[in-house]
Amino acid sequence: MTGADRAGEFGPIYLPALRRIRDLWRTLEPLVDETSYDDPIAPTELHIELDDGIGTADGARLDVQWSERGMYSFHYVGSDDVNWRFDRHPNTHSPEKHFHPPVQGVTAEPSCITVEEVSLVTRAVHAMWRAAYEHDDVSRLNSFTNPP
């Protein structure tokens, strides 16, 4: 997510949240290969590398941001160039909590994630990713009722 995608204040990155997200993904997901930050001194993004991906992807990465104001972005990038994203940030084109599906031309739709606590949001994103992965079906993303 770029600054141009945001209208309003996202807020400074909250490193304890990124650490919690990293630890949860390591615990919940056996396909986590490695985790890292974009900058070891002043991180603004967590990278979670996966050994496999949804569909034809033979690997994937999640790029995660979480701010002190509780704004977030979980951006999935598969090795097959499939991208999707769960976001919470003020903007002019969609609800504050929204989902960018892996469908060309669709900007954003309301997110099914209603929880706001870092661990619960992380578990919700993981549960939907895992369901899409196991069933090889991206339509399972953003399809749960009040996950996790």
Side-chain angles (χ1 to χ4, degrees):
M1 179 172 49
T2 66
D5 190 35
R6 298 182 196 128
E9 184 63 35
F10 187 81
I13 295 300
Y14 187 50
L15 188 55
L18 293 183
R19 287 183 186 129
R20 180 71 181 135
I21 294 164
R22 177 199 63 200
D23 293 348
L24 274 169
W25 271 85
R26 284 179 174 167
T27 299
L28 295 169
E29 185 50 57
L31 291 175
V32 170
D33 180 39
E34 68 177 88
T35 60
S36 62
Y37 296 108
D38 61 332
D39 182 326
I41 305 299
T44 61
E45 193 168 75
L46 168 66
H47 302 288
I48 302 170
E49 300 284 339
L50 302 168
D51 284 333
D52 201 3
I54 300 169
T56 61
D58 57 7
R61 185 183 75 242
L62 275 168
D63 298 326
V64 183
Q65 295 177 315
W66 194 285
S67 81
E68 291 177 358
R69 298 186 64 213
M71 303 295 135
Y72 59 79
S73 176
F74 286 78
H75 183 195
Y76 171 93
V77 181
S79 63
D80 58 355
D81 291 326
V82 171
N83 288 271
W84 50 264
R85 194 170 76 222
F86 283 97
D87 287 342
R88 179 182 181 205
H89 63 90
N91 67 74
T92 58
H93 59 272
S94 60
E96 183 176 89
K97 295 176 189 173
H98 56 275
F99 174 68
H100 295 270
V103 178
Q104 295 293 345
V106 177
T107 305
E109 58 191 46
S111 175
C112 68
I113 300 173
T114 60
V115 293
E116 297 180 0
E117 195 273 326
V118 65
S119 296
L120 295 177
V121 172
T122 300
R123 288 175 184 279
V125 172
H126 176 264
M128 288 182 284
W129 175 84
R130 184 38 95 162
Y133 173 77
E134 288 177 356
H135 296 277
D136 193 16
D137 182 3
V138 294
S139 72
R140 292 185 179 255
L141 299 166
N142 202 37
S143 66
F144 288 25
T145 301
N146 193 24

